[in-house]
Amino acid sequence: MKQYLLLAASAFLLQGCQTSKEDIKEQPLKMIEQIDFSHVKINDNFWSPRLSKHVSATLPVCIDQIENQTGRIRNFENAAKGEGEHSGIFFDDSDVYKALEGMAYSLINNPDPELEKKADEWIDKFAAAQQPDGYINTFYTLTGLDKRWTNMDKHEMYCAGHMIEAGVAYYQATGKRKLLDVCIRMTDHMMSQFGPGKRHWVPGHEEIELALVKLYQTTQEQKYLDFAYWLLEERGHGHGTMGDEGKWDPVYYQDIVPVRRLTDISGHAVRCMYLYCGMADVAALKNDTGYIAAIDRLWDDVVHRNMYITGGIGSSRDNEGFTEDYDLPNLDAYCETCASVGMVLWNQRMNQLTGDSKYIDVLERSLYNGALAGISLGGDRFFYVNPLESKGDHHRQEWYGCACCPSQLSRFLPSIGNYIYASSDDALWVNLYIGNTGQIRIGETDILLTQETDYPWDGSVKLTISTSQPLEKEIRLRIPNWCKTYDLSINGKRINVSEEKGYAVIKDWKSQDVIALDMDMPVEIVAADPHVKENFGKRAIQRGPLVYCMEEIDNPEYFDQIQLSPSTTFQTAFVSDILNGIKTIKTNGRAQSATFIPYYAWDNRKAGKMRVWIPYNE
């Protein structure tokens, strides 16, 4: 099995993180609901520039690649005509759908008639490419419809799932349901082929399962939730085959045992993340504690034995996933950007089911390090693979033949507001510290949330909550696992509160109160779990939620000789004129001094070596 890498002495991040299955079963499923990003306007010095770049650079790059540099949109045009060749990879339709989802999310908080017009043009092409029976997939339409639904690894349901997510997002953004109706027809087609009393089917790449839940929530058609559940239950019974092209590997495809019996993560990392998200969604709606117990076991396996310090997962480039426990190479790490995004999606669901902050701790780690490193500061270049060491030859690219990561980031970045706040019957939950204004309505009460902070550079947060009438809810502020000491005050008066599952619980408050949370944010030296042979005799540096690395450009003379030791001291300073403004860490000690930058920011300047784990001289 596989145990984790990161934690300082395994205790730093994960101490006290074991979850009791009995505890989970005793709680109502999905006790917490996210506050949707459409109600949250982000305005801070860290995230606002990134969201601006998403509009000005990331989406234009994706649109240009899809329309002009590759054949992705042309595949839909050819499919509509019923003639011409299919270009690219058989799952390229999914990149178009993910980019459209990103366009929809952008339109929610940044209305743009031209962008909406572009989206409508694409949707017209999708609708024209749909077959009379509801089927839509340009690869099989152009290479032979007689071969459809014969190979479970050809991503037909994967592409359909991303189309459904885009269709739901665009409907929510604009009220237009043309794409949603295309999605419904495709789903009804799939259900005419597969289900109880029909053909067996195991999607080779999970994604359809969580998408069907979104379709159910949008249409309130129970059959879509039931179909998602049926697809999950198909796994592990020997139904998976790959046609004539190769041997089906049950481990790689998470098809070795029924999903409720899973204990260890295996195979392809991104597929695992989508599977676990689908299981969490279905479990919450069907009250399936067996699924909850399974993903609880899997979380322990992922985080304690298979996760990098950056929150990235997937150590092997051979299978884009996992080998054995504690196998966490640095130079050859895979850590696909999509998998880090998947960690954010999954851990939010786990938090909603349990109210435990440890899941947001991992979400935050993956967000600020594993996922954010996947895109350049300019918003126009991307990492597919995110190693923790480089000899100077690993760089972001404008696009990839397999472009799942650029399109993934195009839909993920504008939705980060989803992870800041949540609500339950008895509490408002503050999970992430990002400057923003949130406007929500709970029952008959209008609530205005205003958060001011210079996070992640500084641990001070001010939260003002204004309500139209008294609100009988606690305020639960997450105390990140990196935070060892903090002060909490209301209107300048220090208060003492209890903590529950990593949240400071404020019970006595009133409208217009200013809640101040001041968290100490020292530099920490982190040791890997001793089972991780790759990091024996090494240490990493982190500060707050950010993992730091050393780049050759900042340490040109002694890069390969720099060491840390117990006597090393650190100085932090905000430097505004490099990397869009960062807080650097400089070391002093018996060895040569060194400069460290946040891991997410590496490879944005001159090419050179990089490393996260530094030799440690005890």
Side-chain angles (χ1 to χ4, degrees):
M1 300 212 341
K2 320 164 172 94
Q3 165 105 53
Y4 177 19
L5 70 244
L6 149 100
L7 312 244
S10 179
F12 164 57
L13 179 60
L14 302 175
Q15 188 174 37
C17 285
Q18 297 291 337
T19 304
S20 163
K21 284 134 184 110
E22 289 73 19
D23 286 346
I24 287 182
K25 290 180 181 179
E26 289 172 0
Q27 297 181 25
L29 298 187
K30 200 163 188 181
M31 58 184 291
I32 303 168
E33 295 289 342
Q34 73 177 31
I35 292 176
D36 189 80
F37 74 91
S38 61
H39 301 291
V40 179
K41 182 67 175 179
I42 291 175
N43 182 24
D44 79 354
N45 292 330
F46 187 85
W47 284 105
S48 292
R50 286 162 174 78
L51 296 176
S52 178
K53 288 293 185 182
H54 175 265
V55 174
S56 65
T58 307
L59 283 179
V61 163
C62 290
I63 292 169
D64 179 59
Q65 289 287 340
I66 286 167
E67 290 190 336
N68 304 317
Q69 309 302 322
T70 70
R72 282 167 172 77
I73 203 69
R74 188 166 58 250
N75 286 334
F76 287 95
E77 296 167 349
N78 289 345
K81 296 183 296 185
E83 61 183 32
E85 294 184 352
H86 180 276
S87 64
I89 308 173
F90 55 83
F91 53 75
D92 277 355
D93 289 1
S94 63
D95 295 332
V96 188
Y97 299 141
K98 283 189 284 185
L100 179 65
E101 187 180 353
M103 293 158 72
Y105 290 157
S106 181
L107 288 170
I108 288 175
N109 283 333
N110 301 280
D112 181 343
E114 289 302 312
L115 185 63
E116 186 172 340
K117 179 181 177 182
K118 176 62 65 179
D120 289 337
E121 291 174 0
W122 283 14
I123 291 169
D124 288 342
K125 295 179 190 296
F126 303 161
Q130 189 166 35
Q131 299 299 299
D133 64 359
Y135 182 83
I136 176 170
N137 182 286
T138 68
F139 175 75
Y140 278 115
T141 299
L142 294 172
T143 62
L145 285 169
D146 58 313
K147 301 183 186 69
R148 62 182 177 169
W149 305 125
T150 59
N151 187 328
M152 296 177 183
D153 197 37
K154 286 298 185 183
H155 291 49
E156 287 163 282
M157 285 194 179
Y158 170 80
C159 290
H162 279 302
M163 181 178 70
I164 291 169
E165 290 203 81
V168 168
Y170 199 65
Y171 174 67
Q172 292 172 339
T174 66
K176 299 176 182 178
R177 58 175 300 138
K178 185 171 187 176
L179 180 55
L180 183 64
D181 289 335
V182 170
C183 297
I184 289 171
R185 289 193 292 273
M186 175 58 168
T187 305
D188 290 345
H189 164 78
M190 292 187 289
M191 294 178 64
S192 74
Q193 303 293 311
F194 310 106
K198 302 169 188 173
R199 291 177 58 190
H200 291 293
W201 193 258
V202 178
H205 196 312
E206 299 91 332
E207 151 66 22
I208 184 65
E209 300 86 353
L210 64 91
L212 286 167
V213 172
K214 288 187 177 182
L215 188 61
Y216 157 71
Q217 292 170 326
T218 302
T219 65
Q220 292 300 299
E221 289 280 353
Q222 179 70 29
K223 64 182 181 179
Y224 299 135
L225 174 60
D226 292 342
F227 189 42
Y229 180 68
W230 181 84
L231 286 169
L232 290 169
E233 288 293 294
E234 280 287 275
R235 294 183 174 275
H237 299 287
H239 301 319
T241 61
M242 283 188 62
D244 298 327
E245 294 189 11
K247 181 180 179 181
W248 178 268
D249 180 351
V251 175
Y252 178 77
Y253 296 99
Q254 300 79 50
D255 192 32
I256 190 76
V257 297
V259 294
R260 65 182 65 250
R261 287 170 48 197
L262 288 169
T263 59
D264 298 277
I265 195 166
S266 63
H268 189 278
V270 179
R271 301 176 200 229
C272 289
M273 291 298 99
Y274 289 160
L275 172 62
Y276 305 162
C277 287
M279 290 173 65
D281 288 344
V282 169
L285 292 167
K286 285 191 170 286
N287 215 44
D288 193 320
T289 55
Y291 276 15
I292 299 299
I295 55 178
D296 179 41
R297 293 190 301 267
L298 290 161
W299 189 88
D300 283 344
D301 184 51
V302 173
V303 174
H304 292 276
R305 297 183 280 277
N306 293 279
M307 185 177 77
Y308 283 89
I309 190 172
T310 57
I313 58 170
S315 60
S316 172
R317 301 192 182 196
D318 291 334
N319 67 352
E320 299 187 330
F322 303 94
T323 54
E324 61 185 21
D325 288 340
Y326 308 104
D327 177 28
L328 295 164
N330 295 317
L331 184 65
D332 297 322
Y334 199 69
C335 291
E336 183 179 335
T337 298
C338 284
S340 291
V341 172
M343 284 287 281
V344 172
L345 302 177
W346 179 35
N347 277 278
Q348 185 197 36
R349 287 162 165 84
M350 296 297 286
N351 174 260
Q352 290 177 298
L353 290 165
T354 64
D356 197 319
S357 71
K358 69 180 184 181
Y359 300 112
I360 304 299
D361 290 334
V362 175
L363 181 159
E364 183 178 66
R365 182 173 294 278
S366 298
L367 169 63
Y368 277 94
N369 303 288
L372 197 55
I375 189 166
S376 67
L377 296 177
D380 58 353
R381 302 182 75 86
F382 310 92
F383 274 150
Y384 192 111
V385 175
N386 292 275
L388 280 74
E389 183 177 343
S390 172
K391 295 182 178 179
D393 55 355
H394 184 79
H395 308 294
R396 294 178 183 84
Q397 298 181 24
E398 292 181 356
W399 200 249
Y400 293 86
C402 173
C404 55
C405 294
S407 55
Q408 178 82 289
L409 288 165
S410 77
R411 71 177 187 142
F412 175 65
L413 286 172
S415 69
I416 60 166
N418 277 340
Y419 311 106
I420 300 174
Y421 301 115
S423 176
S424 63
D425 289 343
D426 59 354
L428 282 173
W429 305 70
V430 183
N431 285 321
L432 294 183
Y433 299 114
I434 295 174
N436 71 86
T437 301
Q439 292 182 298
I440 62 174
R441 186 175 179 84
I442 297 178
E444 299 299 317
T445 305
D446 293 314
I447 304 169
L448 176 65
L449 301 158
T450 304
Q451 189 178 149
E452 301 171 82
T453 182
D454 199 25
Y455 199 90
W457 310 124
D458 186 270
S460 296
V461 181
K462 285 187 177 180
L463 180 70
T464 305
I465 305 177
S466 303
T467 63
S468 60
Q469 59 188 32
L471 184 68
E472 298 298 322
K473 287 183 183 287
E474 303 167 344
I475 305 298
R476 295 196 168 217
L477 301 175
R478 181 177 68 96
I479 306 302
N481 63 348
W482 56 259
C483 176
K484 305 305 184 293
T485 59
Y486 66 92
D487 289 325
L488 193 58
S489 65
I490 296 182
N491 302 325
K493 182 178 180 180
R494 185 172 178 178
I495 61 172
N496 294 313
V497 299
S498 62
E499 284 190 32
E500 184 177 333
K501 293 186 176 181
Y503 288 91
V505 182
I506 301 175
K507 296 182 179 181
D508 298 318
W509 65 278
K510 62 183 184 300
S511 180
Q512 298 294 323
D513 277 350
V514 178
I515 300 171
L517 173 64
D518 290 299
M519 298 173 282
D520 260 359
M521 195 179 275
V523 177
E524 296 191 87
I525 296 180
V526 182
D529 186 291
H531 290 89
V532 182
K533 297 178 182 178
E534 177 81 10
N535 293 330
F536 181 77
K538 298 176 183 177
R539 297 292 187 271
I541 290 176
Q542 64 180 47
R543 182 177 182 274
L546 298 178
V547 174
Y548 276 68
C549 70
M550 188 172 66
E551 272 199 300
E552 189 175 14
I553 186 174
D554 298 310
N555 307 276
E557 296 183 24
Y558 305 107
F559 184 87
D560 294 320
Q561 287 76 48
I562 289 171
Q563 298 181 351
L564 301 174
S565 75
S567 64
T568 300
T569 59
F570 304 96
Q571 292 81 41
T572 63
F574 189 82
V575 183
S576 61
D577 59 353
I578 65 168
L579 300 170
N580 290 356
I582 60 167
K583 188 155 282 191
T584 62
I585 297 175
K586 292 183 181 291
T587 67
N588 285 322
R590 288 180 295 180
Q592 293 85 1
S593 62
T595 298
F596 291 78
I597 66 166
Y599 172 79
Y600 75 77
W602 83 278
D603 193 49
N604 276 280
R605 297 173 292 171
K606 180 181 178 182
K609 298 177 182 178
M610 179 279 295
R611 63 172 52 156
V612 170
W613 291 97
I614 313 300
Y616 187 73
N617 183 356
E618 297 192 58

